[in-house]
Amino acid sequence: MADTDDNLAIERADRPSSQRKIAKILAAARAEFFGNGFSASSIEAIAARAGVSKVTIYSWFKTKENLFAEMVKGECAHLSQNFVAENLESKGVREVLIDTAENMLDFLTRDERVRFDRILAAEVSRDPRVGKYFLDNGPRALLQNLATLLQSAMDQGKMQSSDPIASAEMFVGLVKGHLDLLLRYGETINLTASQRRERAARAVDAWMLIHQK
Amino acid sequence: MADTDDNLAIERADRPSSQRKIAKILAAARAEFFGNGFSASSIEAIAARAGVSKVTIYSWFKTKENLFAEMVKGECAHLSQNFVAENLESKGVREVLIDTAENMLDFLTRDERVRFDRILAAEVSRDPRVGKYFLDNGPRALLQNLATLLQSAMDQGKMQSSDPIASAEMFVGLVKGHLDLLLRYGETINLTASQRRERAARAVDAWMLIHQK
DNA sequence: TTTTAATTGAACGTAACCGTTCATTTTTAT
DNA sequence: ATAAAAATGAACGGTTACGTTCAATTAAAA
């Protein structure tokens, strides 16, 4: 009580066991929210699934809304990736674009993404932050990367566009078509590798035709 | 008890007042479900909004799920419309396509549709029937109409396509881009008439370039 | 070892909601 | 006018869930 007395506001929130529990809680929250949506999921069920006391959840995440938002954040980080392929010089524009389109199609048809899309969109009206957060880290980033890629191709004198962002959006539209709609409304779509490649090639060829010099 | 005694199983479900109440219930259900989603909406609130007893709701619609499904059915019928413009001969292909694209954009950006999209998609995992019902009456019909329009243009020798359905899907993709995504995740997008027309024209010109003869 | 923080289980108060029952009243067809 | 169906309000039982409190236990840092 004499020497080491001056450390009052100790915050040991990052104990290893706590970290582990928080991770488990988030994983359980993900599973529950994905399965039932926000309203139909209960903190109690999440606690049970995480093998954790309900009080623990409330001590780390103040409210149910908060827990959901944190889960979304983590999921965005997990889902966000760069679809745009590299090696423009060595592989040529068409190849790079096809690879990119294939990456997008692969991502689009993942069951995990479809569920995330459904749940998240439904909660946007309740909490608009989650929607904005997703847009900024997902679609916006993708569009920017695409526009950059397009600019590179233009710099090489291989294509032309008066509006790179609009062109990037067209690319997205051509690749997606209404696949996303079908998926969101419950259609089960399993593209084989060759089907995916063919669809990607069709979209890319159409897009290159539009932007040919 | 002598003459008019043989009509036992009388079903007067179509009384004018009943019809009125059913309509009010459906309207209230629509408002509640659109505002809160399925789980977070209560039959009690719907009854209150409709100015109707809770028992009345249960007597016409057996369950909450049923009420939701009926509401969706009505909404599908209300939302489904033919976007594809007519008068191919008198107006020319490009004009007809632009009108069609404008119709789609107009529909796409309607607040009502955005909310419907969010709610319905979220409930697909709970009841896949609603998703199928919507797909059949919405996107599928649109795609068929587009393919027919394209075929007409081809018959006139003005365009070409090896796969009309795929071409129709490209058209949809070009028009939508990722507008639907932005809208679903809470972006407020208000296209002016000229913005809408310009976007429609861009999409149509690109599409015609792809399918030129 | 001692001290501090994290965790737990159980219980609590409160509230909402589903779906049903019933006696009563209102509406409508005949 | 009368008989049948529809609608109502109130109440009920049962369930589920949120978020909190508290005393007791466990884990980790110093």
Side-chain angles (χ1 to χ4, degrees):
Chain A
M1 264 250 225
D3 303 352
T4 58
D5 202 11
D6 49 303
N7 42 356
L8 281 176
I10 302 173
E11 300 274 339
R12 302 186 203 164
D14 47 357
R15 285 186 183 176
S17 81
S18 299
Q19 292 288 57
R20 245 177 296 136
K21 302 220 171 196
I22 290 176
K24 280 210 145 196
I25 291 169
L26 284 170
R30 200 192 97 118
E32 289 291 323
F33 285 135
F34 275 28
N36 317 313
F38 179 80
S39 299
S41 296
S42 79
I43 298 277
E44 246 126 12
I46 294 171
R49 184 187 283 261
V52 150
S53 153
K54 184 169 61 157
V55 190
T56 305
I57 293 186
Y58 276 103
S59 78
W60 290 118
F61 311 87
K62 291 301 170 192
T63 63
K64 194 182 173 185
E65 283 78 13
N66 225 315
L67 175 56
F68 182 82
E70 287 306 314
M71 182 275 284
V72 168
K73 243 169 154 173
E75 206 59 18
C76 282
H78 177 246
L79 287 183
S80 80
Q81 52 183 280
N82 190 9
F83 301 106
V84 179
E86 307 286 336
N87 306 324
L88 185 58
E89 290 80 10
S90 65
K91 289 172 77 177
V93 179
R94 185 167 182 273
E95 277 308 308
V96 170
L97 287 177
I98 289 182
D99 285 355
T100 303
E102 280 199 274
N103 288 344
M104 288 172 60
L105 285 173
D106 188 48
F107 176 70
L108 209 64
T109 51
R110 271 167 58 191
D111 209 68
E112 188 188 22
R113 186 211 61 86
V114 174
R115 281 201 303 266
F116 183 68
D117 188 31
R118 291 197 192 126
I119 298 304
L120 189 57
E123 299 313 322
V124 166
S125 34
R126 189 180 48 78
D127 182 359
R129 288 177 307 151
V130 297
K132 180 163 168 35
Y133 193 88
F134 168 74
L135 279 184
D136 289 343
N137 292 279
R140 289 254 161 69
L142 167 63
L143 217 64
Q144 195 51 58
N145 291 340
L146 275 176
T148 304
L149 173 64
L150 171 59
Q151 191 61 52
S152 303
M154 287 169 66
D155 291 345
Q156 293 186 6
K158 291 177 181 165
M159 314 191 74
Q160 64 169 2
S161 165
S162 58
D163 185 345
I165 289 284
S167 293
E169 203 189 332
M170 275 191 179
F171 185 80
V172 172
L174 281 171
V175 173
K176 287 200 323 189
H178 68 335
L179 255 188
D180 55 337
L181 207 72
L182 297 181
L183 287 162
R184 192 159 66 257
Y185 286 101
E187 205 84 337
T188 48
I189 291 170
N190 277 314
L191 296 179
T192 66
S194 69
Q195 282 175 321
R196 190 171 61 222
R197 182 154 192 90
E198 196 185 339
R199 189 185 170 101
R202 246 203 323 266
V204 168
D205 287 336
W207 191 77
M208 290 188 75
L209 189 60
I210 299 170
H211 297 89
Q212 69 190 328
K213 201 164 186 182
Chain B
M1 261 249 224
D3 303 350
T4 57
D5 200 14
D6 50 302
N7 42 356
L8 281 176
I10 301 174
E11 301 273 338
R12 301 187 204 163
D14 48 357
R15 286 185 183 177
S17 81
S18 299
Q19 292 288 56
R20 244 177 297 136
K21 302 220 172 197
I22 290 175
K24 281 209 146 196
I25 291 170
L26 284 170
R30 201 192 95 121
E32 290 290 325
F33 284 135
F34 275 27
N36 317 312
F38 179 79
S39 299
S41 298
S42 79
I43 297 277
E44 245 127 14
I46 293 171
R49 184 188 281 263
V52 149
S53 153
K54 184 169 61 156
V55 190
T56 304
I57 293 186
Y58 276 103
S59 78
W60 290 118
F61 310 87
K62 291 302 170 193
T63 62
K64 194 182 175 185
E65 284 78 11
N66 224 315
L67 175 56
F68 182 82
E70 287 305 315
M71 181 276 283
V72 167
K73 241 168 155 175
E75 206 59 19
C76 282
H78 178 245
L79 288 182
S80 80
Q81 53 184 277
N82 191 9
F83 301 106
V84 179
E86 307 287 336
N87 306 325
L88 185 57
E89 289 80 11
S90 66
K91 289 171 79 178
V93 178
R94 185 166 182 274
E95 277 308 308
V96 170
L97 287 176
I98 290 182
D99 285 355
T100 302
E102 280 200 276
N103 288 343
M104 288 171 59
L105 286 172
D106 187 49
F107 175 71
L108 209 65
T109 51
R110 271 167 59 191
D111 209 68
E112 187 188 21
R113 185 210 63 86
V114 175
R115 281 201 304 268
F116 182 67
D117 188 32
R118 291 197 192 125
I119 299 303
L120 190 57
E123 298 313 323
V124 166
S125 32
R126 192 182 44 79
D127 180 0
R129 288 177 306 151
V130 298
K132 179 160 171 35
Y133 193 88
F134 168 74
L135 279 184
D136 288 343
N137 291 279
R140 289 256 162 68
L142 167 62
L143 217 64
Q144 195 51 58
N145 291 338
L146 275 176
T148 304
L149 173 64
L150 171 59
Q151 191 59 53
S152 303
M154 286 168 66
D155 290 346
Q156 291 186 9
K158 291 175 180 166
M159 313 191 75
Q160 65 168 4
S161 165
S162 58
D163 186 343
I165 289 285
S167 293
E169 202 189 333
M170 276 192 177
F171 185 81
V172 172
L174 281 170
V175 173
K176 288 201 321 189
H178 68 336
L179 256 188
D180 55 335
L181 207 73
L182 298 180
L183 287 162
R184 190 159 66 257
Y185 286 102
E187 207 83 338
T188 48
I189 291 170
N190 278 315
L191 296 178
T192 66
S194 70
Q195 282 176 320
R196 191 172 58 221
R197 181 157 192 86
E198 198 186 337
R199 189 185 169 99
R202 246 203 323 267
V204 167
D205 288 336
W207 191 76
M208 290 187 75
L209 189 60
I210 299 170
H211 296 88
Q212 69 191 328
K213 201 163 185 184

